[in-house]
Amino acid sequence: MAKSEQQKGKLLVLKDLLERKSDCDHPLSMQDILSHLETQGIAAERKSIYRDLETLREQGMDILYRQGRSGGYYLAARDFELPELKLLVDAVQSSRFLTEKKSLELIAKLERLVSIHEAGQLRRQVVVSGRIKTMNESIYYTVDRIHEAIGRNSTITFRYFDWGMDGEKQFRPRLYEASPYALCWADENYYLIAHSDRHGITHYRVDKMAELTCTGRPRIMTDEGRSLDLGAYSKAVFSMFHGQRTTVRMRFHRSLAGVVIDRFGLDTIRTPDGPEHFTVTAEISVSPTFLGWFISFGSRAEILHPPAVRQQMADLLAETLASYQNE
């Protein structure tokens, strides 16, 4: 290798070494640096390393030197501080719209923004296997295409599906077309707020969309769409309340399998209960919102246990019935 090419390569190797293996608690001695360069087939002298370090400083790298027995050179500042990356890791791992696989891939990329020593602190936070995550691996790219369509002022077409009792996708028969307005994160899910000829302003679960295509046809922008307050729409449509978390056993008609999987996750155990029903046990935030959600299924759903939650439902039904019987 020519000397000039070797020098360019040495700078890159030195830059990578400082970024990956040094921080304020793990400085690199001059011998550490020389030994690493030697493993890369690069011969160097101390004087040339001093010049290289100065060149990297001039290019914006905050390289400091600590004196003492365990001292050495280290990268003191980075684009992201460790607490900032911890926040990003928390956001990634708690995002239900990302699959577990994609969450782990993104976290691995975030780890490369700190030293290998600090990356361990990010890795210890990874507990995504215990979270209910989306089952749609392609959502990451669907979101990107929706943003592209909005930027190009284009309508989109897509297939929409539900989850069956067997955990398989069941596509609805028709091809959907809509004018995308915005993406909204609510109730632990990603939603597309859009206009459709059938429903006007409506919304779709992004993780249940597939085969999305930008048509190139201009979006339909109605007066309602132009005056749409996304914050108010989200609050009205997706608002949720929190309540006491309780383990609840429920009985559902098999036609509600997709709804149950959407709410509680694909791994939720669904135990057959006769030819037409199944039972599910899950930890629930028992609140008016949950009870209202449950009531919407009428006779197709029943709370079996515990008695206190069953009584809450009975009381709510009685109060609702009384309000319609009073003149």
Side-chain angles (χ1 to χ4, degrees):
M1 180 184 294
K3 186 174 181 180
S4 60
E5 294 178 354
Q6 185 184 50
Q7 181 65 20
K8 292 177 182 177
K10 180 159 63 112
L11 278 172
L12 293 174
V13 171
L14 182 56
K15 176 178 180 292
D16 181 69
L17 174 65
L18 289 163
E19 289 176 338
R20 298 296 297 136
K21 295 189 177 182
S22 79
D23 55 52
C24 61
D25 296 320
H26 301 87
L28 297 169
S29 68
M30 179 59 71
Q31 188 55 51
D32 291 332
I33 296 173
L34 292 171
S35 297
H36 180 77
L37 290 172
E38 186 176 351
T39 64
Q40 302 299 309
I42 300 174
E45 298 178 352
R46 289 175 178 265
K47 289 183 178 180
S48 68
I49 299 301
Y50 295 141
R51 291 194 298 270
D52 292 337
L53 290 171
E54 189 57 35
T55 298
L56 292 175
R57 289 191 184 100
E58 291 172 356
Q59 296 303 311
M61 293 186 71
D62 188 11
I63 302 169
L64 299 183
Y65 177 74
R66 178 183 300 153
Q67 294 184 345
R69 188 173 180 180
S70 58
Y73 298 90
Y74 64 95
L75 189 59
R78 303 170 186 267
D79 291 338
F80 289 93
E81 297 179 6
L82 186 60
E84 294 173 330
L85 289 172
K86 287 181 178 179
L87 288 175
L88 292 175
V89 167
D90 285 341
V92 168
Q93 71 181 31
S94 63
S95 294
R96 180 170 174 166
F97 72 89
L98 291 173
T99 63
E100 182 174 340
K101 177 184 176 183
K102 180 55 67 175
S103 293
L104 293 173
E105 287 177 357
L106 290 175
I107 291 170
K109 291 178 181 179
L110 290 174
E111 289 176 1
R112 293 201 287 270
L113 298 177
V114 294
S115 72
I116 58 174
H117 314 289
E118 293 177 327
Q121 298 184 47
L122 299 179
R123 202 170 299 122
R124 283 195 293 270
Q125 293 190 355
V126 179
V127 291
V128 295
S129 59
R131 308 284 182 91
I132 297 174
K133 306 288 280 183
T134 182
M135 288 76 75
N136 185 359
E137 180 66 31
S138 65
I139 185 174
Y140 192 73
Y141 306 99
T142 301
V143 168
D144 187 56
R145 285 195 291 272
I146 290 173
H147 279 300
E148 178 187 356
I150 293 173
R152 292 171 52 187
N153 193 37
S154 170
T155 62
I156 58 173
T157 58
F158 56 93
R159 299 287 304 282
Y160 208 62
F161 64 86
D162 300 297
W163 293 104
M165 180 64 181
D166 57 0
E168 297 296 323
K169 296 176 183 177
Q170 296 181 348
F171 284 94
R172 298 183 185 181
R174 67 186 182 87
L175 183 68
Y176 285 65
E177 182 168 359
S179 297
Y181 290 163
L183 287 162
C184 174
W185 170 250
D187 191 22
E188 297 191 71
N189 288 301
Y190 228 156
Y191 293 89
L192 168 65
I193 300 174
H195 174 276
S196 77
D197 291 337
R198 252 188 176 183
H199 306 291
I201 301 296
T202 187
H203 57 273
Y204 304 94
R205 278 269 299 272
V206 177
D207 61 304
K208 297 172 73 172
M209 301 168 69
E211 301 174 23
L212 189 145
T213 302
C214 295
T215 67
R217 293 187 289 273
R219 291 183 299 168
I220 296 173
M221 188 64 71
T222 63
D223 291 339
E224 183 183 12
R226 291 188 184 91
S227 61
L228 179 64
D229 184 332
L230 294 176
Y233 181 90
S234 300
K235 184 176 181 180
V237 175
F238 305 118
S239 179
M240 295 295 289
F241 302 91
H242 299 287
Q244 181 69 37
R245 294 195 67 80
T246 308
T247 300
V248 180
R249 185 158 61 93
M250 300 156 282
R251 186 171 185 256
F252 296 92
H253 188 270
R254 63 183 299 112
S255 62
L256 297 175
V259 176
V260 171
I261 290 173
D262 279 341
R263 174 57 80 179
F264 303 117
L266 188 59
D267 294 332
T268 301
I269 298 175
R270 302 176 294 283
T271 305
D273 184 8
E276 296 297 326
H277 296 83
F278 63 96
T279 62
V280 167
T281 299
E283 190 177 26
I284 305 295
S285 291
V286 179
S287 66
T289 299
F290 165 71
L291 296 177
W293 173 78
F294 205 88
I295 286 175
S296 68
F297 305 129
S299 61
R300 294 186 297 163
E302 179 184 2
I303 292 176
L304 301 177
H305 189 81
V309 177
R310 185 178 172 88
Q311 186 61 50
Q312 280 183 262
M313 177 62 77
D315 292 344
L316 179 59
L317 289 169
E319 292 171 5
T320 303
L321 179 61
S323 68
Y324 282 94
Q325 291 176 332
N326 292 335
E327 297 183 358

